Amino acid sequence: MIRSRLAGGLVPYTAGEQPVEKTIKLNTNENPYPPSPAVYRALGAFDAEKYRLYPDPTALSLRRAIAGYEGVGEENVFVGNGSDEVLSLAYAAFFGGEDKPVIFADVTYSFYEVFGSLYGVRYREVPLLPDFRLDVRGMAALAGEACGCVFANPNAPTSLAEEREDLLALVRAYAGKAVIADEAYADFSHVPSLVPDTEEYPNLLVVKTFSKSRSLAGARCGYAVGDKALIDALRTVKNCFNSYPVNAVTAAVAEAAVRDGAYFRECVSRIKSTRGSLVKSLRGLGFDVPDSDANFVFASHPEAGGAELQSALRKRGIVVRRFDRPRIADRLRITVGTEEDVSALIVALRETLGSRI
Ligand code: PMP
């Protein structure tokens, strides 16, 4: 039997279920609305003959469109096959120096830990504050003994966002070391993106995705914005791994999506409005739900455990996510779907809770 030198001790990330049967799918923070009509047009216009050739290894046309949208230079943009890949390449490029740990929260996107194990980068988890906020000061205090820092803003699965000034203080504490701001959900937040700050802070790398606010999870496209030196390093690492991570169709549809600002803004504002009614209805049933800055909410009920609620919903055809980890095992992470999805969810929860409401 062949034993893998690498895979032996690894515990990989577990992706949320993609059920084959029809469900109300509120477990992986996908967008409930279709991609922009411009994406349909770009797909229709795609000439299959182009598939004969490798795609542009630098995805220049897409990077130009993203740079235009973000107000930065194309040399400040790196694209990859989903932001997971961008994050993974950033770990390989920037973390692990002098065997110092990378710092992140104890409750956050679990891939941060997985990448640490994969690349042999030590990591140190800083516990969230009792109210689930990031301990930004605690993370800053460790800068001297760390190789860098990564956080999600808004954080997942808590849905909470930290203010820009607090995060910039963290970035300053890590001067000379990479700080990755994972903004997968930032388009749904009241806190502005840190992208404009990448001009002032050469150690700040902001990572974004087309999977949530742009309805393109299936296309697999993410990007990073940062100082040219950071972007060049990412490109070097990428070219040691796969010259063409973004396929030609994905590059075309992502470009179409990023150029359609009006549709994007409309979708985001619908999701934010549905989020408001979801939070209100859940609170009406007695749930504890923090105000969300993301396209999901993080809810627990004083009278019912998380596992019970998750399986009761599953039996009613509604899929939500739960993480069996200390402090959060009784919380459900529920994606903001359509208004109809939310109504069905609330009916199912009311039935499940019965006399306990
Ligand atoms: N960061 C966070 C915080 C996420 O929740 C996700 C989605 N699972 C990602 C990054 C990755 O998104 P994608 O690879 O689809 O761009």
Side-chain angles (χ1 to χ4, degrees):
M1 191 177 74
I2 305 288
R3 282 191 197 281
S4 161
R5 183 175 60 85
L6 185 58
L10 288 178
V11 181
Y13 177 75
T14 312
E17 183 193 358
Q18 293 292 130
V20 281
E21 76 276 23
K22 191 158 167 41
T23 57
I24 295 179
K25 191 171 176 309
L26 306 177
N27 66 331
T28 48
N29 301 340
E30 289 138 333
N31 197 308
Y33 301 111
S36 152
V39 165
Y40 290 75
R41 288 196 293 275
L43 269 179
F46 187 81
D47 179 2
E49 204 274 331
K50 278 196 198 154
Y51 255 170
R52 195 171 56 75
L53 304 175
Y54 288 108
D56 170 7
T58 70
L60 181 59
S61 184
L62 170 59
R63 279 174 40 242
R64 274 194 182 138
I66 293 170
Y69 169 75
E70 296 286 6
V72 298
E74 65 204 33
E75 69 281 7
N76 301 114
V77 178
F78 175 84
V79 293
N81 191 316
S83 61
D84 283 339
E85 184 186 83
V86 177
L87 290 166
S88 160
L89 295 172
Y91 257 70
F94 306 120
F95 293 156
E98 298 169 47
D99 199 29
K100 289 180 169 173
V102 54
I103 306 298
F104 49 81
D106 67 336
V107 176
T108 188
Y109 188 36
S110 3
F111 245 130
Y112 304 155
E113 192 181 331
V114 173
F115 292 142
S117 326
L118 173 64
Y119 293 116
V121 173
R122 291 202 297 124
Y123 53 86
R124 177 144 168 206
E125 297 175 334
V126 176
L128 293 185
L129 299 171
D131 61 357
F132 282 154
R133 306 291 300 270
L134 279 189
D135 182 3
V136 179
R137 284 194 191 166
M139 291 167 81
L142 293 170
E145 48 196 277
C147 66
C149 170
V150 55
F151 60 83
N153 200 53
N155 194 16
T158 64
S159 79
L160 304 180
E162 303 305 325
E163 296 302 327
R164 174 170 164 267
E165 273 314 319
D166 297 331
L167 296 171
L168 291 181
L170 181 67
V171 175
R172 280 191 290 275
Y174 282 79
K177 298 170 181 184
V179 174
I180 301 177
D182 178 351
E183 293 193 350
Y185 302 103
D187 291 329
F188 305 101
S189 175
H190 77 281
V191 177
S193 167
L194 297 185
V195 160
D197 300 298
T198 56
E199 206 178 333
E200 185 175 347
Y201 297 101
N203 63 326
L204 172 62
L205 187 78
V206 179
V207 177
K208 293 195 175 184
T209 179
F210 283 82
S211 298
K212 319 288 178 183
S213 52
R214 304 270 179 187
S215 306
L216 286 176
R220 310 304 301 125
C221 192
Y223 63 95
V225 180
D227 187 61
K228 183 175 179 302
L230 296 178
I231 301 302
D232 288 348
L234 281 174
R235 191 176 318 111
T236 301
V237 173
K238 182 269 284 185
N239 285 336
C240 297
F241 160 76
N242 177 358
S243 307
Y244 318 100
V246 182
N247 76 67
V249 175
T250 290
V253 298
E255 180 172 341
V258 85
R259 290 191 189 284
D260 188 355
Y263 181 85
F264 160 75
R265 285 189 294 276
E266 190 200 318
C267 263
V268 167
S269 109
R270 273 166 91 173
I271 290 168
K272 289 202 304 206
S273 141
T274 308
R275 177 178 73 195
S277 36
L278 170 61
V279 168
K280 205 165 148 218
S281 305
L282 286 170
R283 285 182 184 155
L285 296 180
F287 278 88
D288 173 55
V289 199
D291 280 329
S292 165
D293 262 284
N295 68 336
F296 57 89
V297 300
F298 199 45
S300 66
H301 198 280
E303 303 298 332
E308 180 205 335
L309 290 174
Q310 185 184 33
S311 76
L313 288 174
R314 191 73 180 79
K315 281 186 196 127
R316 289 167 172 79
I318 301 176
V319 194
V320 299
R321 190 106 203 244
R322 193 177 69 87
F323 298 91
D324 213 353
R325 292 180 68 126
R327 284 176 79 189
I328 60 168
D330 276 327
R331 290 205 168 248
L332 302 180
R333 194 196 68 185
I334 307 171
T335 305
V336 178
T338 62
E339 291 285 344
E340 296 72 45
D341 295 339
V342 167
S343 306
L345 172 83
I346 297 301
V347 167
L349 286 171
R350 188 174 289 121
E351 271 174 32
T352 304
L353 289 164
S355 62
R356 288 179 284 178
I357 297 174

